[in-house]
Structure formats: structure tokens, C-alpha cells
Amino acid sequence: MYDFSYHNPDSVAGAVSAMNKAEDGKFVAGGQTMLPTMKHRLASPSDIIVLGGIAELSGITVDGDSISIGAMTTHAEVAASSDVQAMIPALAALAANIGDPAVRNCGTIGGSVANNDPAADYPAAVIALGATVKTSKREISADDFFTGMFETALEEDELITAISFPKADAAAYMKFENPASRYAIVGVFVAKTGDDVRVGITGATPCAHRGMRLEGVLNSNFSGDALESVEIPVDKMNADIHASAEYRAHLVKVMTRRAVAACS
Amino acid sequence: MATNGIGVSVRRKEDKRFLIGKGNYTDDINVVGQTYAIFVRSPHAHATINNIDTTDAEAAAGVVAVFTGDDLAADGIAPLICGVTVTSDDGEPHRAPAHPALAQGKVNYVGDHVAIVIAETLAQAKDAAEKVEVDYGILPAVTDTASAADEGQQQIHEAAPNNICFNWPLGDKQAVEAAFASAHKISTLDLVNNRMVTNPMEPRAALGEYNTGTEEITLHLTTQNPHLHRLVLSAFNQLAPEHKLRIVSTDVGGGFGAKIFIYAEELVVGWACRKVNRPVKWTSDRTEAFLSDAHGRDHVTSAEMALDEDGKFLAMRVMTRANVGAYLSTFGTMVPSYLYAFLFAGQYTTPLIYSEVKAVFTNTAPVDASRGAGRPEATFLLERLVDVAAADMGLDPVEIRRRNFIPVDAFPYQTPVVQCYDSGDYNAALDKALALADYDGFGARAEEAKSRGMLRGIGLSSYVEACGIAPSAAVGQLGAGVGLWESAQVRFNPTGNVQVFTGAHSNGQGHETTFAQLITELLGVPIEDVEVIHGDTAKTQFGMGTYGSRSLAVGGVAIAKACEKLIAKGKKIAAHALEAAEGDIEFADGNFTIAGTDKAMNIAEVAFNAYVPHSYPEGLEPGFDENAFFDPLNFSFPAGTHVCEVEVDPDTGVVEIIKYSAVDDFGKLINPMIVEGQVHGGIAHGVGQALLEGCRYDSEGQLITASFMDYAMPRADNVPNFDIDYAPTNPPDNPLGVKGCGEAGAIAAPPAVINAITNALGVKHIDMPATPENVWRAAQGAA
């Protein structure tokens, strides 16, 4: 790890101010990606601005038909929340299966969504549930938030304060795990609200995205059989030593079918 | 029988200190004035070094020294060695290119050692290491085992034309050819034995201290064999005379073979602490472990079996290319030769076996022993080939094995591949394993799985392993540079408690308990009064360490021999004290008794008399402290049958192990709980190789699987609860009646798992690791 300046602000405004003063600052939420990267000397921020001391970033609140989860809420807290379990059990289940206990007790929803790892779990849920990402500056819809591999709509000095998830009638997340890292090789989150079906896909491509072709079919026939006709474009898929593009494309359909089955 | 003697599952004495954080691992040790070392490693798989500029690094904050290969050579430090000679088919010894501890003008794999940077803090050492400027001339890399020796390949070492280390034939080629020519059926199989990174939990480490007063180097190491390290570092690397070099390796967090070898970092740290006259500490991080620990396996093999019309094996032929990596590690030549081809008979009466092993250099980390070492490779090809032959003959895999088993009355059994098996009852283990696995009920279970859209498969593996490597004369004839006996000293203190000094070593296997149980059993001393001491060349007599499942089978016997000497001496002392004839003294349960009377003397009293010999047999030496060395007559040959049942999800290719049944012959068990733990760990290791672990280099020689993010180790949810039982026989060559147990699971499991998967899919073969994608593709092909 290289040397850096350490900031521990107690307000969002303080965090933003520290970022604006830093030469090459980084917000650190749970640090589950950032700190290993720094330890391996692959990142060398001049300043790290730790968000753990900002009370306004924590907590889970129910607001009518949606649930707002503070950015610094850990995966373990989301998994254990009776409100999340009651309103969107698939989201609680997703959080319960991220990483290992150490990661779940440190890693946060805001950190995961802001980092936008191509194989992270939360982006699939944010997309499929049509969540709203609340930031220090604005509100960003899920469809506009994830812009590329490790890229989001966030500006340099903008940080996520909370994510608001509308309740779905039925939802399920199916994850095909990388046997080594246990990240998603393919993760598919299916959410059904009224007649509207949304599919969020992670792991398969460089950036989590909506499965528009799958949604198109499922909107008219919400069943696994309907998926057989869908062509998943192999050339858009990621490929690595764990899964080829062809296999990932196949898994997208299998995981979607299983998620649909779990919804019904 | 003693309360905590042989056959009792005594809880492990050593676990208290491990569980409360009082273990004494190498990285736990910190000394006054300690400096920190970082190795500058090659980022290229194959390159010349045109220049190394250390100026900026030497000027960096906190830097004590920066050294390169020239500094080592100037001080007369010799290159690393390979300790076993294999004679190639041209009659010449294997090609052994120089293996400098710090590179001399050339690097040959990613992670190869270029320089050492020593600084006041670890962070300063890391910062300075980045300032060492190395001008590399990049060369094409050779990474593929199968093609490394092909015409036109990039040459790695001048001393090894065509990248060939050795070409080693074994057996009667003509006789095997004749048997194939007249065979009823020939079964063939091409397979890969996947490369593995051993990954013990504790990474390697070294801490060197030099005492200017005594001129002694103390080197704390994560080694499985401290005396072997001292011998090689002294006699071959010229680090220091043996009596001026102390190796300490108290607690080691797993070795599995990877900590047998004498590594560059260990030699360089030992040398550097004297050079800078400061303690120097190096601890590998996990990435360095992936890059620079010796790897395991990595074979490409074609195997053939000739059968008669009854399915009897007539002859076998094996052609293997074995990757030894960029340089020869300490036992790199022995693993793909003697430890491999000598096991080709397995449990069968195959009368004729011919094999050729071509060992090849590549631009990858050195390859050496990893749990099982050669024997898993032999067992995998044999047990897979037997299943292929069964399918070719239309026989059940159980039936073809039974038809070819070495019968129980044929032991000791001389195989056509050098080894003479000590004892075995292969049908007994098979019968028990089939019952444990409910083999007969498999059909119904497969039908039930099919109704859920799942494919069930069942697979067997009937293995033999050779462990407790011996005898010294035999391994010497083969080309080993060392003997393979073991030593023990059993020392009574005047107050009656016992210290056992073993030349073996524990990396966590529980020797402090198992060996103490031997003392309790043989001498009747309460187990809490026994302390087992290992891992310090200043405390223990010369010993050979731990590997090849040898610690109990060889080292345990040495302890028993020392106990015999103590009993013989104790009889003299007791006879004198009890005023009886020595011949009338009997020893049992810790007491020397005049036969037929109740006049007795406890061994603790005898020990006291020996140290306070006021009234003592004339001419007898005082003291109650005996040592013994045991050089066995033969290897020991554990064997058994493992049965694996899997369920394959044809949609995803995911394999779940539903049931795993293992029946092993380990001879007599000293501590069944510890044995069971070893079997569990061994099977997990084997399941890891079969399903998960695959070390991969790309064509440029970069290690793709250089972290746990990409290299999949088995975890608790990858294995089922194991069903374990034993079918022991009594090995006549082992005075304690014991065999080894540490490697059996890693040897038996890979073919059992793969045989189950091929059975589920109805395919001939699938290579390891049988990842979901590989299985899915095989299922597509089979459908």
C-alpha cells in the first residue's frame, strides 16, 4: 500500500468537500474492493475519504411501496432486515449470498453499486427492480446509472446516499457462481410488478444491463418455456477461463428460467 | 491397554496452542534489529537480463542493501540442486541446467528471482523494489507440456537440448508389444493430469539471524525437513558449515509437499543476514506463493491396456510428458519417474508394463511433489483406463477390477514395475466400500434423479500407494542423494516425564499426539507427561522430516525402537533395585515386575534411579535416554477402494458429490480421529483436483490463476459428509504394523470423481478439472 491522506468526515457535505480538495481522492465505503486493490499497489489514491462516520448514510426506511436503503448499509444488514425480507425477499436473499461473512459485514450496498463490478450482484437487482439511486446531487434512475465496466453516471465528487427500491409483486435472483471467487459468472434478477417484467443481468457482459429480449418475451408469457426462442447474443458476452461466451449466453437463459420459476 | 495408547482417538495435544493463538509460526517470530526483504521477481516468463541498475533502489529511504546474483556468486554461494538423479535413455544423467538462487543473466519463469531488497520496514523494501531497474530482452515462452519438446520450439536452457530433462523408459518394450499384438482387445485413453498449486494455508517464510560471536546462522523456515535443509544449504549451497547453521521450524501451517524443497528465498535470506549483519525476514504473500512455490502434477499421457477375452489385463503401455517447470526443484526428477511409474500395476496382476516418461522444461514455476506426488498421476491414469477397458469389454467396473485384483494369498507381491507390495486384501476393501456406498441400490437412485432431470453417476477407484519411502540402499541405487530412514530420541527426565525428539516433522498432522500415544502404549507413561519435540536442528538429532506419508510408518518405528532400548536398560536397573535376576523382570503398563510376584517398580522410579545412581548395576551407564534410527526394509503400501456418487445438472454442468465412501487399508491405526481427519483432507484435496483446481499459464507464460479469485480451492460446500471405514491388513515389514494415511485421499479421489462423472454422462473421458462448462459441453456431446 502506498501512502495516502486519510479523511473521516461526519457529513456528506464534509465528504464532498474533502474530495474536492484532494488531488486524486477516493471515497471508501466498506472498502472490500478498494482496500485489497490498494494493498496490491494497484491503486494509489492521494486521499481516501472514509464514509463510515456519516450517520445520514445508514439505515433502512420503508416509504409506502418502496424501501430506501442507506448507502452505508452493509450486506449483512440488508440480509437481516425484516423490512427488506418482508417487502423484497429476493433482495435480502441476494445480500445474504454476497461474498463471505467478512465481506457481508463490511461491504455496503452503496459501495457495491458505485463500484459497478461487472460480476457484482446488486446491480442486477437495482436494474430489475427499477430502483432509484439517490446521490449527494440528484436522483438517478437505474436504467441511467450503470454506464460501462466499473463506470457509472456518478461524477467525481458525487456519492450515493441511498437506493430506493420499489416493491415488486414477485422477484427472484439466480446466481451462477464463479467456483473460485464466488462472484456471479451470470446472475439474473427477475422482477414482476403487475404485467411489467424487468430482468437485470450481471456477470454476463462488461456491465450489468436489462435483458430486453427476455423481458419482451416474458411480458407476454411469464414462463420459462417462453424463453426457448430468445437469442442471447454470444458476441456480447464476457469470456474468461471459467466460462466462455457461449456458455455464459446459455447460462443467461438457464438462470432466467430458474428465476421465473422461483417467481411463480 | 494404556488409556491413551494405540487405537484411541485422543484429542490433539497441540491444538490448545493453535486454538488460543499461541502457535509459533515463522512469521510470528520477530527479533531485535530485524530488517525486511522483498524479492524483485521477473515479470516475464523468458528473457535475458541485459542490465540490472540498483542505484535508485539503494538510495531509497530505509534501504539496507540490494543484492543480485553477482553478489551471491562472488561469495561462493552455489546454485540450488536437484537431489535425485534419473538416468535418461541415452545412458546419461538427466539434464540439470544451473538453478541460481538469484538470476544470472536470464530469467526463465514469471516470478523468477532477480534481486533481493532489504530495508528497515516492509513498506520501504516494497518501495525500493519498484526502483530496481531491470533491462530485459524478452524471448518467446514455452508453456505447453505436450509440445515443449517439439521440433522448432524455443530453447530454454543450453544444457537441455529440445527442452528435454530426461526420457526415461521402464519395462520390457518388446514383450509388451508382443502382448498387444495378440490381445483380444486394446483400450486406449489420452488424458491430462492438471497442474496444481499446493497452497498450504501458511505461506512460506524465512527469518535469518547471524551471530558474529559464534559465527552461527539461525534460519527460521517453514520447512517440512529442517535437517535436510541444513544439509543441502551447507553441503551443496555453501551457505555455512552444518555445525554453524541452525534451522528452526517449530510450527508449520500445512506443507503438503510444497515445503519440502530448498527454495531460493531461503538460501538468499540465510546468506544476506550474515552479509548485512542484521536479521532479515521474508514472508511470502499469497501472490508470491502462487508464482514461486513448486507446483504439482502437469502430465500429458497416452495409456493403453491389452486385454484377453475374459477381461484380464495382459499388458499396459504408458507414454507421458511431464512438465518439470523452468528449473529442477529439489525432487523434481523423482516425482514423474520413480514415484509415478513404479505404481502402474496398481491393485492388478498386469504382468507386463512398459512406460516412457519424457520430462520437459517450460517457462513455468518448477514442478515438484504435492500431496501424493506421482502416485495420484499414476492412479488417475490407471483407474480411468480400467473404467474405459470395462466399457470396452462390456463389464461392470467392479467386475473387471475383481478379475484382475492381486489375490490376498499372493503377498508379498512382486509387481513388474520394481515395487514389491507388503500386504493387501483388495477384495475386502472393495466389498466394504460397495456396501458402504450401497452400490447395488444405485440404479434406483439414478432413476429417481432422472425423474428430476438430473444425471446420477457412480465411480470407483481402487488404488495402491507407496509411502514411507525406503529403504535407503534402494533409493540410493535409484539416484537419491539422501538416505530415507528416520530417527528418534526418547529421553526420560529424572522426575519421570518424557521428551521425545523426532527427526520427523509435523506441519499440523498431529504427531505430537500420535507419537505421545506410542510412548503411552509402549512405556506406560501418562500422555500428559510426554512432550514431542521436532523442527529444530539444535534440539533434535538428524532426521529426514515429513513427506510421503512417512512420519509414523518410519519415524514412529524409530520411537518404538528407542523405547525397546529403554525397556532393556530399565530391566537391568529394576532388577538391581528389586534384587532379582534381570531375566525375571517383566515390563508391562509402565511397571517392571518380578515375574510371578507383585514386586514392581514404575518406569518413573527407574528413570530416577538412572539419574541418581546411588545404588545401581555395576558397569551400567547412568541416564535414561535412548536414541534409535530406523531404516525400513520396504515402502509401505496403503490401498483401498473409494466410491463416489455424483449428480450432474445437465443444464449447467454443475457436479454435486452426493455420497463419498472410502475404505482404506492403513494397517494399524494409532489415533483413528487423526487418521479420519487425514482421509477427509486428502479426499478434499483430490476433489479439488477433480472438480476445481487448474493452474493455468497463458501462451506468454503469465500465470492466469495467480490468486484465489481465479484458482478455486475446495471448500466445505464442495464436499459431502464422507463415509469412512477401514479394511486393515498387517504389513509384515513394519514393526508397528502401520502404513501411511496422509496422501491416500488425494490419490484415490480424482479417478473416483471422474469415473462417476463419465458414468453419469455416458462419455469415455472428461479432463480435470471437470468444471461446469467442461461437464456441460460433455453432456451436450453425449446427448
Side-chain angles (χ1 to χ4, degrees):
Chain A
M1 198 178 277
Y2 296 105
D3 288 349
F4 53 82
S5 297
Y6 177 84
H7 306 270
N8 188 16
D10 59 6
S11 68
V12 170
V16 170
S17 162
M19 176 61 88
N20 282 326
K21 286 178 195 155
E23 185 189 325
D24 178 22
K26 278 279 182 193
F27 293 123
V28 174
Q32 295 306 290
T33 300
M34 191 67 205
L35 296 185
T37 311
M38 289 169 68
K39 281 182 183 170
H40 280 105
R41 297 190 157 210
L42 297 171
S44 52
S46 63
D47 297 71
I48 67 164
I49 299 138
V50 174
L51 306 178
I54 306 174
E56 61 196 281
L57 294 179
S58 284
I60 297 171
T61 51
V62 176
D63 180 16
D65 269 351
S66 67
I67 189 163
S68 179
I69 302 175
M72 286 300 289
T73 310
T74 64
H75 311 323
E77 287 165 346
V78 173
S81 162
S82 52
D83 287 334
V84 178
Q85 286 171 6
M87 282 189 72
I88 316 174
L91 186 61
L94 175 151
N97 196 33
I98 298 173
D100 53 37
V103 168
R104 290 195 288 275
N105 282 306
C106 293
T108 66
I109 190 168
S112 171
V113 170
N115 187 49
N116 191 20
D117 187 300
D121 296 306
Y122 269 129
V126 170
I127 289 168
L129 290 164
T132 301
V133 181
K134 299 176 179 175
T135 78
S136 53
K137 295 186 174 179
R138 54 186 166 147
E139 294 192 351
I140 308 172
S141 76
D143 289 351
D144 296 332
F145 185 81
F146 303 103
T147 55
M149 189 162 70
F150 294 108
E151 297 287 336
T152 69
L154 290 171
E155 293 166 11
E156 278 293 296
D157 62 345
E158 183 176 21
L159 61 94
I160 299 175
T161 56
I163 299 171
S164 178
F165 293 91
K167 180 176 164 40
D169 295 343
Y173 179 59
M174 288 292 155
K175 172 181 181 176
F176 192 87
E177 290 178 347
N178 177 318
S181 70
R182 307 258 166 130
Y183 272 84
I185 281 181
V186 167
V188 178
F189 201 109
V190 172
K192 186 171 188 294
T193 309
D195 289 335
D196 184 37
V197 178
R198 287 174 65 100
V199 179
I201 302 170
T202 188
T205 55
C207 178
H209 66 282
R210 275 180 77 178
M212 304 299 280
R213 296 162 204 253
L214 296 160
E215 287 179 12
V217 171
L218 291 171
N219 269 318
S220 52
N221 179 9
F222 192 68
S223 80
D225 295 340
L227 298 166
E228 289 307 321
S229 60
V230 180
E231 279 284 317
I232 306 294
V234 172
D235 59 341
K236 298 263 174 57
M237 296 286 127
N238 293 332
D240 56 34
I241 58 169
H242 303 288
S244 67
E246 186 191 357
Y247 182 55
R248 272 194 168 80
H250 169 74
L251 288 176
V252 166
K253 273 166 83 163
V254 175
M255 293 297 115
T256 307
R257 196 168 69 229
R258 290 180 182 185
V260 167
C263 282
S264 357
Chain B
M1 192 182 87
T3 320
N4 292 309
I6 289 175
V8 182
S9 288
V10 178
R11 290 210 180 173
R12 298 186 358 146
K13 286 163 66 78
E14 50 268 74
D15 280 349
K16 180 182 175 186
R17 74 171 187 275
F18 296 145
L19 290 171
I20 67 172
K22 294 293 181 187
N24 194 25
Y25 298 93
T26 301
D27 190 53
D28 293 332
I29 303 165
N30 291 293
V31 294
V32 174
Q34 174 175 302
T35 64
Y36 295 83
I38 287 288
F39 284 86
V40 176
R41 295 177 184 277
S42 172
H44 305 296
H46 197 198
T48 55
I49 297 177
N50 301 324
N51 186 45
I52 304 174
D53 184 351
T54 60
T55 317
D56 289 352
E58 281 166 19
V63 169
V64 175
V66 181
F67 298 117
T68 67
D70 289 345
D71 299 304
L72 273 185
D75 271 10
I77 298 296
L80 302 170
I81 63 153
C82 174
V84 177
T85 304
V86 172
T87 304
S88 202
D89 56 359
D90 57 6
E92 297 291 318
H94 69 264
R95 311 303 189 259
H99 186 182
L102 293 175
Q104 294 278 6
K106 192 160 178 280
V107 286
N108 291 303
Y109 68 102
V110 171
D112 204 352
H113 315 73
V114 175
I116 182 174
V117 176
I118 300 164
E120 298 290 345
T121 71
L122 183 60
Q124 287 172 332
K126 285 185 178 179
D127 287 343
E130 291 179 358
K131 295 184 188 333
V132 174
E133 300 273 348
V134 186
D135 177 10
Y136 291 106
I138 298 171
L139 299 167
V142 181
T143 60
D144 176 50
T145 307
S147 63
D150 285 358
E151 279 295 307
Q153 270 285 15
Q154 172 71 32
Q155 291 295 292
I156 301 171
H157 300 288
E158 270 181 35
N162 299 318
N163 299 327
I164 295 169
C165 175
F166 61 75
N167 193 45
W168 180 70
L170 179 71
D172 186 337
K173 189 178 186 179
Q174 276 71 38
V176 167
E177 271 172 13
F180 270 85
S182 61
H184 167 72
K185 180 83 84 184
I186 294 171
S187 293
T188 64
L189 180 64
D190 295 336
L191 55 81
V192 171
N193 202 288
N194 46 324
R195 186 177 179 112
M196 294 175 78
V197 183
T198 305
N199 271 320
M201 191 180 290
E202 177 207 28
R204 292 187 294 117
L207 169 61
E209 298 177 78
Y210 180 65
N211 184 319
T212 50
T214 61
E215 298 178 347
E216 184 186 60
I217 295 172
T218 300
L219 197 47
H220 301 265
L221 294 178
T222 48
T223 166
Q224 299 177 212
N225 27 249
H227 285 91
L228 189 63
H229 264 77
R230 190 181 68 172
L231 174 63
V232 173
L233 290 167
S234 293
F236 297 95
N237 304 127
Q238 314 301 333
L239 176 61
E242 244 181 314
H243 66 303
K244 293 295 182 186
L245 179 60
R246 176 184 178 194
I247 307 292
V248 185
S249 142
T250 312
D251 285 329
V252 175
F256 309 106
K259 291 173 180 165
I260 296 171
F261 323 120
I262 289 82
Y263 284 96
E265 296 91 349
E266 300 168 339
L267 172 58
V268 175
V269 165
W271 165 81
C273 72
R274 182 174 57 200
K275 191 80 175 165
V276 301
N277 195 21
R278 293 272 301 275
V280 177
K281 184 177 196 175
W282 168 76
T283 303
S284 168
D285 64 24
R286 187 56 67 179
T287 306
E288 286 182 289
F290 272 101
L291 290 173
S292 67
D293 286 6
H295 294 173
R297 323 281 195 256
D298 202 341
H299 287 192
V300 178
T301 293
S302 294
E304 302 164 278
M305 185 75 86
L307 300 104
D308 74 8
E309 50 278 3
D310 297 324
K312 288 279 282 180
F313 305 152
L314 300 172
M316 189 168 93
R317 190 157 50 197
V318 179
M319 300 289 156
T320 290
R321 297 208 174 199
N323 191 345
V324 294
Y327 306 98
L328 291 173
S329 174
T330 317
F331 294 110
T333 50
M334 184 183 190
V335 176
S337 54
Y338 314 138
L339 293 179
Y340 174 57
F342 289 2
L343 259 289
F344 284 164
Q347 298 195 352
Y348 311 110
T349 54
T350 318
L352 293 164
I353 299 173
Y354 178 74
S355 62
E356 284 179 24
V357 178
K358 191 186 290 292
V360 297
F361 290 102
T362 59
N363 295 113
T364 63
V367 179
D368 206 323
S370 176
R371 201 176 198 162
R375 293 149 289 171
E377 295 92 312
T379 304
F380 184 67
L381 84 82
L382 180 58
E383 287 304 288
R384 280 264 55 240
L385 183 60
V386 167
D387 262 32
V388 170
D392 289 348
M393 294 295 296
L395 290 171
D396 187 274
V398 171
E399 180 57 27
I400 199 167
R401 284 174 171 81
R402 286 200 198 281
R403 288 189 190 182
N404 287 284
F405 273 167
I406 297 162
V408 67
D409 57 8
F411 292 91
Y413 181 80
Q414 179 60 53
T415 72
V417 279
V418 180
Q419 297 289 20
C420 181
Y421 297 162
D422 50 1
S423 68
D425 186 346
Y426 301 148
N427 271 305
L430 178 65
D431 290 339
K432 260 189 171 175
L434 295 177
L436 207 54
D438 185 20
Y439 192 79
D440 293 338
F442 172 75
R445 296 194 295 279
E447 282 303 312
E448 186 279 328
K450 203 172 171 187
S451 73
R452 291 182 283 109
M454 304 297 267
L455 305 173
R456 278 239 174 173
I458 196 161
L460 303 178
S461 165
S462 297
Y463 76 97
V464 176
E465 78 147 307
C467 65
I469 302 172
S472 292
V475 298
Q477 266 181 355
L478 287 173
V482 291
L484 283 165
W485 42 268
E486 195 47 270
S487 69
Q489 181 162 6
V490 179
R491 175 185 300 165
F492 271 79
N493 294 318
T495 54
N497 46 38
V498 176
Q499 290 171 297
V500 180
F501 300 84
T502 173
H505 191 279
S506 180
N507 302 166
Q509 300 100 316
H511 298 161
E512 288 170 52
T513 307
T514 305
F515 290 173
Q517 285 179 255
L518 290 179
I519 298 296
T520 294
E521 177 78 25
L522 298 174
L523 300 181
V525 176
I527 198 160
E528 55 274 16
D529 289 346
V530 183
E531 200 66 33
V532 175
I533 293 147
H534 72 267
D536 184 343
T537 58
K539 290 181 181 169
T540 66
Q541 68 293 339
F542 199 102
M544 298 308 300
T546 187
Y547 39 82
S549 304
R550 70 189 300 278
S551 300
L552 179 66
V554 190
V557 175
I559 291 171
K561 297 252 172 222
C563 290
E564 284 171 15
K565 291 183 184 177
L566 285 165
I567 292 167
K569 185 171 184 179
K571 283 182 177 173
K572 291 187 170 67
I573 298 167
H576 180 86
L578 296 169
E579 297 178 338
E582 188 190 331
D584 291 339
I585 301 292
E586 291 173 344
F587 180 76
D589 297 331
N591 292 310
F592 293 94
T593 308
I594 303 175
T597 77
D598 59 359
K599 285 188 75 180
M601 192 175 178
N602 187 263
I603 195 165
E605 297 172 72
V606 168
F608 185 81
N609 277 15
Y611 287 105
V612 188
H614 295 162
S615 170
Y616 201 66
E618 200 179 320
L620 189 67
E621 284 180 21
F624 209 46
D625 183 356
E626 295 287 348
N627 66 3
F629 291 73
F630 176 60
D631 197 343
L633 292 169
N634 195 356
F635 285 71
S636 93
F637 296 91
T641 289
H642 289 203
V643 183
C644 179
E645 186 167 332
V646 301
E647 201 162 284
V648 176
D649 179 345
D651 268 357
T652 59
V654 167
V655 175
E656 186 189 355
I657 298 177
I658 303 292
K659 192 169 165 61
Y660 195 103
S661 313
V663 176
D664 297 295
D665 169 13
F666 298 137
K668 188 185 285 178
L669 307 187
I670 307 299
N671 184 318
M673 177 194 72
I674 288 178
V675 171
E676 193 171 340
Q678 288 290 319
V679 174
H680 284 199
I683 296 169
H685 221 132
V687 166
Q689 174 166 28
L691 295 181
L692 298 160
E693 299 183 55
C695 175
R696 298 266 296 269
Y697 284 89
D698 69 13
S699 60
E700 291 176 355
Q702 294 296 329
L703 182 61
I704 307 172
T705 50
S707 82
F708 291 131
M709 292 292 281
D710 285 307
Y711 188 90
M713 295 290 285
R715 284 172 250 193
D717 62 351
N718 296 120
V719 292
N721 285 316
F722 303 114
D723 298 314
I724 287 172
D725 203 349
Y726 306 97
T729 63
N730 184 26
D733 294 331
N734 189 286
L736 281 174
V738 298
K739 300 183 174 188
C741 69
E743 296 164 296
I747 292 167
V753 173
I754 298 298
N755 284 343
I757 296 172
T758 54
N759 176 250
L761 299 179
V763 299
K764 179 178 179 183
H765 182 60
I766 185 164
D767 269 325
M768 301 188 292
T771 61
E773 176 160 5
N774 289 347
V775 173
W776 173 71
R777 287 188 182 281
Q780 303 295 107

